[in-house]
Amino acid sequence: FLSLVAEFCCGFFVILILGNFWFLAVLYLLWLYLDWETPCTGGRRSQWVRSWTVWKYFREYFPIHLIKTSDLNPNHNYLLGFHPHGVLVAGAFGNFCTGPSFKNLFPGLTPYLHIMPIWFGCPFFREYIMSAGMVSASKESVSYVLNKEGGGHASIIVIGGAEESLNAHPGSLTLNILKRKGFIKMALKHGAHLVPVFSFGENELFKQVANPKGSWLRNVQEKLQKIMGFALPLFHARGVFQYSFGLIPYRQPIHTVVGSPIPVKRNLNPTTEEIEQLHALYLQKLRKLFEEHKRNYGIPEHKSLIFE
């Protein structure tokens, strides 16, 4: 969905350049130059955009639900680790960028969904995603949010990243997390409490072409991901009037469960051992969150998370 909107915005920009409105394109490029750092300094959200009626229908289509398991004290800052990536990351967008659910469940907290910096280089599209509350996933951007004094700010990071989207098959419970420890270091440096978040149903929205590790398709996808910075999963779902084939996601319920916070003391220079210990604790809490709620959302008792 984001890719389609981004392509439309880029196409519109090209039309401005090639048409009789090139001067508007020049003015926008000047604006882009002056505004370049905004995605790394908290963005520019618009409550009007975040409250569009279309997002209500978007959330109700699946439907998307946000489940609270514990209070989050607004006197602290938080780093929420979102799992899994899926293809669409619908749960993250629907719960943290649109609607009143997060605000109602966690009063006093402002959510910032961090996404790949590459998206903010797209003309016009960057304004749209910032207005929805999205900011860059760069270290500078995460530090800006977590470093705000007085608390009340929450960075949401999709830990598995683009690489994990290649595992987004229905029923898949594989998370790319064992080597991802940068978010742990950021939490320690800023004293941000860690909160595991698991979105049940995220991998059920699309069917992906079989791409087991070691296959030629997976090798090509991984090489392209390293070159471009984002993955290209080959997926399909339903059409507008039929369920056989199309790019519209299946109507599968998404339940995004926000776990209990893991208290983190500020440590400007954490050792490797301290990072490893907190990472192990986070994995333990994430697994516990999944095990406590899986039976509520149709996951068989014998299935568990797989960490890679």
Side-chain angles (χ1 to χ4, degrees), residues 206-222:
F206 296 94
K207 291 180 180 178
Q208 192 172 166
V209 175
N211 60 341
K213 289 201 170 183
S215 65
W216 69 269
L217 176 58
R218 186 59 168 259
N219 290 335
V220 170
Q221 288 175 319
E222 290 176 347

Side-chain angles (χ1 to χ4, degrees), residues 62 84-88 167-173 198-208 236-238 248-255 290 297-300 303:
F62 297 98
H85 184 288
V87 172
L88 191 62
N167 290 328
H169 296 272
S172 173
L173 296 172
F198 195 87
S199 195
F200 291 89
E202 201 75 46
N203 284 338
E204 274 59 55
L205 305 186
F206 296 94
K207 291 180 180 178
Q208 192 172 166
H236 68 89
R238 55 163 291 185
I248 298 176
Y250 292 115
R251 297 192 70 175
Q252 296 290 337
I254 298 171
H255 295 87
F290 174 81
Y297 306 116
I299 307 294
K303 289 222 170 186

